[in-house]
Amino acid sequence: MSILKNKTRPVFPFTAIVGQEEMKLALLLNVIDPKIGGVMIMGDRGTGKSTTIRAIADLLPKIQVVQDDLFNSHPSDYDLMSDMVKARVQNNEDLLTSFINVPMVDLPLGATEDRVCGTIDIERALTEGIKTFEPGLLAKANRGILYVDEVNLLDDHLVDILLDSAASGWNTVEREGISVRHPARFVLVGSGNPEEGELRPQLLDRFGMHAEIRTVKEPSLRVKIVEQRSKFDSNPYTCLEEFKEQQNKLKSSIVEAQKKLPNVNIDYDLRVKISEICGTLDVDGLRGDIVTNRAAKALAAYNNRNKVEIGDIKVVIKLCLRHRLRKDPLETIDSGNKVQQVVDSILKL
C-alpha cells in the first residue's frame, strides 16, 4: 500500500509538447518573472491548454517553505511570509522548513467566493476571541500557479478578486470587522474558447500576456502529436525517461534566468520605442508598456543575456499588446496583425 501511496500520477513532459509556441513562451516568461501578470490562453478545444499548464508546473524546481504553514511561506523572504511566520521570526524562533513541489491549483467553475478567498470562523472569534482562518484556493496557490479553465465563464466579481490578488500579491478577507491578510503571489493562467464568449475588456487588460492557439492543420505535425500522446498514455515512465535530459536542461535554464533577471537592462531608446508602439496603437493606460518591458527582460534572461535586444521586443510585444487594443466591430484586420504592422514600422532592424 505504501508503494502505491508514493507513486504520483505522471505528468506529460513540457519538452514533448509539439507546436503551440506562443503559449509555451508566455508560460515560460511568466514563470521566470511572475510580475508579468499571468497569461490568458484563448483557443480551440482540444489543443492541449490544460496539458501544457500542468506540464510547466511539473517542470519547476521545488520551493522551500516553512513547515506546517498554511500559506507556503518563504523562510527568509519577508514579502512571501504570512503574518504568523513574521511574528515567529521577530521572536527569533527557529523555523522548520521543507521542500515541496510548486503548487498547481485548479479553480473549479462553480467555486464560491469563500472557497477562493477562505473564511473566518466568526462564531469562534466572538465567543473565544480566537481568530480562526480556513484558507481558500488563493492561500494554496501562493508561490505557485493558479489555473482557471473557461475563465470567460467565471463570475466577473471572482475574476476581479483573482486579478487583484495576482497584482497585489496579497489576499485580504474581512468578516464582521475581523480581518485576515495573507500572501497570494501566484502566476494566474486563464484559458477559454472564444466561441463561449469574450472576457470584458477591462478584465482582459489585467492579464499580462495573451496567447492565441489554433488547431494544428499540418497532417505530419498532427500525426506527431497523436503519436506522442499515445506513447505517453501507454507507458508514461518510458516517455518521461526519453525526455528526462531535455526536461532537466530546460529546468536549469529557468533557474538561471530567474537568477539573471535582476541584472538585465533595457536601453532608454528601446523603452521609448515600446511606448511609441503603445501610443500609436492607442493602448489605454500604461500596463502594456510595463508588461512589454518586463517580458522582454525575462526573454533576454532566458537567452542568457544581460541586455534586451530589439529581437526580444519583437518576439514578446504581440503577446503583451494584442488583447489591449480597442475592438472595432467593423475592423477586418486581426489585432495581432495590427500590432505586427506597427511594430515592423517602428522597430526597423
Side-chain angles (χ1 to χ4, degrees), residues 23-250:
M23 168 168 60
K24 290 195 288 194
L25 178 67
L27 288 168
L28 279 171
L29 296 181
N30 270 274
V31 159
I32 292 165
D33 182 5
K35 287 183 180 168
I36 287 171
V39 194
M40 178 69 193
I41 301 165
M42 285 301 248
D44 306 329
R45 290 181 293 274
T47 42
K49 297 189 285 281
S50 304
T51 302
T52 310
I53 293 150
R54 285 187 178 81
I56 190 92
D58 189 58
L59 186 70
L60 300 176
K62 294 191 174 210
I63 55 170
Q64 191 179 19
V65 298
V66 175
Q67 220 163 295
D68 302 324
D69 180 72
L70 298 170
F71 313 107
N72 308 323
S73 289
H74 195 287
S76 57
D77 187 336
Y78 230 56
D79 285 343
L80 299 172
M81 276 183 203
S82 66
D83 292 341
M84 290 167 284
V85 171
K86 280 179 188 168
R88 287 170 64 189
V89 168
Q90 280 158 2
N91 292 335
N92 295 320
E93 286 182 39
D94 285 335
L95 300 176
L96 291 173
T97 63
S98 59
F99 283 87
I100 62 164
N101 289 329
V102 168
M104 161 75 196
V105 176
D106 271 300
L107 190 135
L109 256 186
T112 60
E113 190 176 330
D114 282 353
R115 177 83 184 94
V116 173
C117 299
T119 52
I120 298 166
D121 189 336
I122 295 296
E123 198 178 329
R124 199 166 177 206
L126 295 175
T127 55
E128 299 173 39
I130 299 167
K131 199 192 281 186
T132 311
F133 180 65
E134 183 64 44
L137 295 174
L138 293 181
K140 286 183 182 165
N142 187 34
R143 299 177 65 202
I145 295 172
L146 182 64
Y147 174 46
V148 190
D149 194 9
E150 308 293 359
V151 69
N152 43 343
L153 302 181
L154 200 66
D155 261 4
D156 275 358
H157 88 283
L158 271 186
V159 179
D160 250 337
I161 289 167
L162 294 177
L163 290 162
D164 280 340
S165 297
S168 68
W170 289 90
N171 172 43
T172 306
V173 182
E174 290 193 5
R175 298 283 184 278
E176 314 295 332
I178 298 165
S179 173
V180 172
R181 192 177 93 115
H182 69 78
R185 287 268 178 94
F186 51 82
V187 176
L188 180 63
V189 182
S191 72
N193 185 346
E195 291 170 11
E196 285 156 359
E198 290 280 353
L199 262 187
R200 289 208 329 260
Q202 57 270 49
L203 292 178
L204 201 52
D205 174 62
R206 302 271 295 278
F207 279 91
M209 301 177 97
H210 185 282
E212 283 184 6
I213 51 175
R214 296 279 170 260
T215 306
V216 176
K217 297 283 189 282
E218 175 63 45
S220 57
L221 270 183
R222 288 175 81 117
V223 169
K224 194 176 177 187
I225 293 165
V226 173
E227 277 176 359
Q228 210 75 284
R229 187 73 231 188
S230 304
K231 197 192 292 181
F232 180 79
D233 289 342
S234 59
N235 197 336
Y237 295 102
T238 308
C239 186
L240 288 174
E241 193 58 44
E242 186 188 328
F243 285 92
K244 190 177 178 182
E245 198 178 318
Q246 284 166 263
Q247 290 281 99
N248 288 339
K249 199 174 169 188
L250 184 53

